[in-house]
Amino acid sequence: MAATVGAERHRASVLIGVDELYARVAEPPPPPVLLDVRWKLGDPHGADHYRAGHIPGAVYVDLDTELAGEGEGRHPLPTVEDLQASARRWGITRGRGVVVYDDNGGLSAARAWWLLRWAGVPDVRILDGGLAAWTAAGHAAVPGEARPQPGGDITLTPGHLPTLTADEAAARPGSGTLIDARAAERYRGDVEPIDPRAGHIPGAVNKPTTGNLADGRFLKTPELAERFQDVAGPVGVYCGSGVTAAHEIAALTIAGIDAALYPGSWSAWSSDPDRPLEKGDPA
């Protein structure tokens, strides 16, 4: 019984269901801050999708410009100062929870979940099933621009979730597990449509992020625990550019496993010709 309670506590710290969100939005203020984080690789029209229909009261967040900064890789972490300015513009305060969602199984919303948790926001959750689950439950999606939000006063500090440098990621297979969350064909090096070189970090194991989902929702907690049952020791995670790896960390958290993010991920690693790589499946 204690293990079950603990498992559900892990899940509740990461996810919120539609019914609970609807109840919280309908409660007296302050409701949670709602962030619409629609983004897909190759689809730069997230703001247009937001304007076509979003959860009432949600603010659109641009992943490329507000959840990333300058540095190594395609989506380096923003500075905490820039993230704090954005968070205050979105209306985040210490006393209001935050709910993030998208229309892609949480694959982009998890980036906001991870970043805000990394920066010290205590209550951030992903809407399980996203916008599709909201509308399937009979709730409205409204078109148009966001309503102006009262300015937030949140103060952010970095480092509340762990990260890895490239050297630390390289060493992680020797002391624990380094997970490559990309699609299997990119891990093996069969194809590489985006980054300079194909393959994976030596010693990494492949667990594609899409395997965390069924019908656009996170797998049940026992299923996630089974998926990661072979993960041992300190855990690190990377993907193409540090976006979907955050989804993997969310799934690992539900399963009761802590993990560190390598923010530069394969986009940074493959850009350095001195970094070794492997191809194919593990021997």
Side-chain angles (χ1 to χ4, degrees):
M1 177 64 73
T4 301
V5 171
E8 290 313 305
R9 187 180 300 116
H10 287 308
R11 191 176 188 91
S13 73
V14 175
L15 301 177
I16 186 171
V18 166
D19 291 344
E20 183 183 353
L21 176 60
Y22 183 76
R24 290 190 62 187
V25 169
E27 290 174 352
V33 177
L34 292 170
L35 302 182
D36 184 310
V37 197
R38 274 181 275 181
W39 174 91
K40 293 177 185 175
L41 195 63
D43 179 0
H45 305 296
D48 294 333
H49 302 321
Y50 169 87
R51 285 189 287 266
H54 55 269
I55 296 176
V59 177
Y60 176 68
V61 174
D62 188 294
L63 187 147
D64 287 321
T65 62
E66 295 179 295
L67 301 181
E70 297 181 358
E72 294 184 344
R74 283 182 280 114
H75 290 107
L77 301 187
T79 66
V80 73
E81 294 80 11
D82 286 346
L83 183 61
Q84 177 174 286
S86 296
R88 290 182 174 185
R89 187 169 61 252
W90 302 329
I92 297 178
T93 67
R94 179 63 57 176
R96 294 179 69 183
V98 180
V99 174
V100 299
Y101 74 89
D102 56 31
D103 59 356
N104 194 30
L107 293 175
S108 54
R111 170 75 171 201
W113 169 83
W114 186 92
L115 261 180
L116 291 172
R117 294 287 301 274
W118 167 81
V121 180
D123 179 11
V124 188
R125 291 193 282 172
I126 302 165
L127 176 60
D128 197 17
L131 184 62
W134 177 264
T135 56
H139 306 312
V142 297
E145 300 288 350
R147 298 194 305 267
Q149 299 292 311
D153 60 1
I154 192 75
T155 298
L156 302 182
T157 55
H160 295 266
L161 292 180
T163 58
L164 299 175
T165 65
D167 287 342
E168 290 168 337
R172 185 51 52 99
S175 60
T177 305
L178 181 65
I179 296 175
D180 183 319
R182 296 174 300 159
E185 60 268 23
R186 290 185 68 195
Y187 168 83
R188 292 191 301 265
D190 299 344
V191 298
E192 183 44 70
I194 307 164
D195 294 315
R197 296 187 292 160
H200 59 265
I201 297 175
V205 298
N206 185 218
K207 292 188 180 293
T209 306
T210 51
N212 299 326
L213 298 167
D215 297 324
R217 299 175 189 253
F218 279 79
L219 296 176
K220 295 178 180 178
T221 303
E223 294 172 326
L224 287 173
E226 182 178 358
R227 181 170 198 240
F228 297 118
Q229 64 181 342
D230 59 341
V231 172
V235 180
V237 184
Y238 74 93
C239 58
S241 65
V243 173
T244 58
H247 193 281
E248 194 91 316
I249 291 174
L252 285 159
T253 301
I254 294 168
I257 300 169
D258 295 329
L261 174 71
Y262 170 31
S265 285
W266 186 249
S267 59
W269 184 280
S270 63
S271 296
D272 183 347
D274 294 328
R275 294 285 179 188
L277 60 80
E278 290 180 340
K279 291 187 177 183
D281 292 315

